[in-house]
Amino acid sequence: MAHDHSHNTSGKNLKIAFFLNLGFTILEFIGGMYVNSIAIVSDAVHDLGDSLSLGTAWYLDKKSHQESNSKYSFGYKRFSLLGALINSLVLIVGSIYVISEAVGRILEPESSDAKGMIIFAIIGVTVNGYAAWKLSSGKTLNEKIVSWHLMEDVLGWFAVLIVAIILLFKDIQYLDPALSLLITLYILYNVFKRLKETLFIFLQGVPKDIDLKGLENRILKVENIASLHHMHVWSMEGENHVFTVHLKLKHIQELKQLQEVKERMREILEEYHFDHFTVETELDSDTCKLE
């Protein structure tokens, strides 16, 4: 038994957000160096991670339309985990660079171009705000998550704007590198949190939104089910889950009873919105060779 599959149509919005973010990231790196702001450079590292996430999401959105084949029988959804790992590694390396630069700037303070920072902050709020607005109208979970993340970027640029306005009136040289450290620590916190979740999915941990014991109890209450074994739940990439189980049946006298058990199982499992589920049934006289 298998739950039907569906494909999203979010590619256009993701494509627009990707090119906006990538273009602005390049501008940030150049502009951050030009106005001598390590805070802008640290946000550029953050936006580089966003660009990689958006690019991966866009690519996988197109890839997900491909049917499963003899090489990848479950399809291509799990490729997003590889994208998450690459993204995390890039952000960790970039963050280490920013931290070293920020510490150096605190030990040997330098002035930043406050007017230039204000200009970039205004552009940052505009670009990220527009990208977040484009994705906020999307119906897919992928679009909504990226939209929330871009809104966090907007708040980050507001912080840069406030610091730049302060520097415009008073040259507090450690303020810019201090802000960059705060931004970078926030990035690393989220990177390690996401990396932990990604590795958990890689290791086929039970998805946190599935109560395995509760599901087991519901199944055992179905008439003519004596016991179950080899019950497994894992996730393809954090959103689409897979379920398998072996059922030991009892008191089965006719085919109609078996069909009723299967129908009841289908009703229960469809409530969990599994992307795919498989149920193996065994009569009480059968012996499972996998036990």
Side-chain angles (χ1 to χ4, degrees):
M1 297 190 291
H3 193 66
D4 60 331
H5 302 256
S6 62
H7 300 293
N8 67 62
T9 55
S10 59
K12 185 178 178 181
N13 285 340
L14 289 169
K15 180 180 178 180
I16 293 172
F18 167 69
F19 282 111
L20 275 174
N21 219 69
L22 181 62
F24 184 62
T25 298
I26 296 170
L27 186 65
E28 271 186 292
F29 275 115
I30 297 171
M33 297 293 186
Y34 180 76
V35 300
N36 201 30
S37 171
I38 194 66
I40 290 180
V41 173
S42 66
D43 204 88
V45 172
H46 188 187
D47 280 344
L48 176 62
D50 289 348
S51 296
L52 288 171
S53 296
L54 285 165
T56 302
W58 175 36
Y59 170 75
L60 290 170
D61 181 80
K62 294 172 65 178
K63 199 76 174 172
S64 67
H65 289 274
Q66 295 185 19
E67 298 293 333
S68 58
N69 52 43
S70 58
K71 200 170 184 180
Y72 297 103
S73 62
F74 272 109
Y76 294 83
K77 293 184 179 71
R78 203 167 175 82
F79 276 47
S80 63
L81 295 178
L82 182 61
L85 278 177
I86 294 172
N87 184 15
S88 297
L89 292 175
V90 169
L91 285 176
I92 289 171
V93 172
S95 296
I96 291 172
Y97 165 74
V98 169
I99 288 172
S100 66
E101 288 292 313
V103 171
R105 189 70 64 85
I106 289 174
L107 295 175
E108 296 180 15
E110 296 179 20
S111 296
S112 302
D113 182 352
K115 291 182 180 179
M117 287 177 68
I118 290 174
I119 293 171
F120 273 100
I122 292 171
I123 296 173
V125 169
T126 304
V127 171
N128 285 282
Y130 177 74
W133 173 74
K134 285 293 291 182
L135 289 176
S136 65
S137 60
K139 296 180 180 179
T140 68
L141 180 61
N142 205 5
E143 287 176 294
K144 290 176 181 177
I145 290 173
V146 174
S147 174
W148 296 333
H149 197 55
L150 288 170
M151 282 307 300
E152 290 177 357
D153 292 347
V154 172
L155 296 175
W157 275 110
F158 269 119
V160 173
L161 181 61
I162 291 169
V163 167
I165 292 172
I166 294 172
L167 291 175
L168 194 63
F169 295 99
K170 193 166 184 179
D171 188 19
I172 307 173
Q173 295 181 342
Y174 65 82
L175 205 56
D176 178 75
L179 177 62
S180 73
L181 283 175
L182 287 175
I183 293 173
T184 304
L185 289 174
Y186 172 75
I187 294 170
L188 285 175
Y189 169 76
N190 284 287
V191 166
F192 283 115
K193 183 180 176 182
R194 184 177 181 184
L195 188 58
K196 181 181 177 182
E197 293 172 353
T198 302
L199 291 175
F200 182 78
I201 297 171
F202 254 125
L203 296 173
Q204 296 186 314
V206 177
K208 294 179 180 179
D209 57 337
I210 301 294
D211 179 4
L212 199 59
K213 192 63 181 176
L215 177 55
E216 180 181 344
N217 291 335
R218 288 190 66 185
I219 293 173
L220 290 174
K221 289 178 182 178
V222 175
E223 189 176 357
N224 297 119
I225 293 181
S227 62
L228 58 81
H229 53 276
H230 286 297
M231 186 168 80
H232 305 292
V233 181
W234 70 97
S235 182
M236 297 299 295
E237 31 47 298
E239 294 180 34
N240 298 281
H241 307 331
V242 179
F243 174 87
T244 65
V245 70
H246 285 214
L247 301 178
K248 177 73 85 172
L249 305 182
K250 61 183 179 181
H251 310 313
I252 299 294
Q253 303 295 327
E254 53 187 27
L255 181 60
K256 182 181 178 181
Q257 290 175 298
L258 179 60
Q259 291 173 332
E260 288 174 352
V261 170
K262 287 188 174 183
E263 184 58 35
R264 181 62 186 132
M265 281 296 299
R266 189 190 303 274
E267 291 172 358
I268 291 173
L269 295 176
E270 284 183 344
E271 291 180 28
Y272 290 82
H273 304 293
F274 288 116
D275 188 61
H276 179 91
F277 55 79
T278 302
V279 177
E280 175 74 20
T281 56
E282 302 160 4
L283 299 178
D284 46 11
S285 59
D286 295 336
T287 301
C288 179
K289 294 182 179 179
L290 297 178
E291 283 190 283

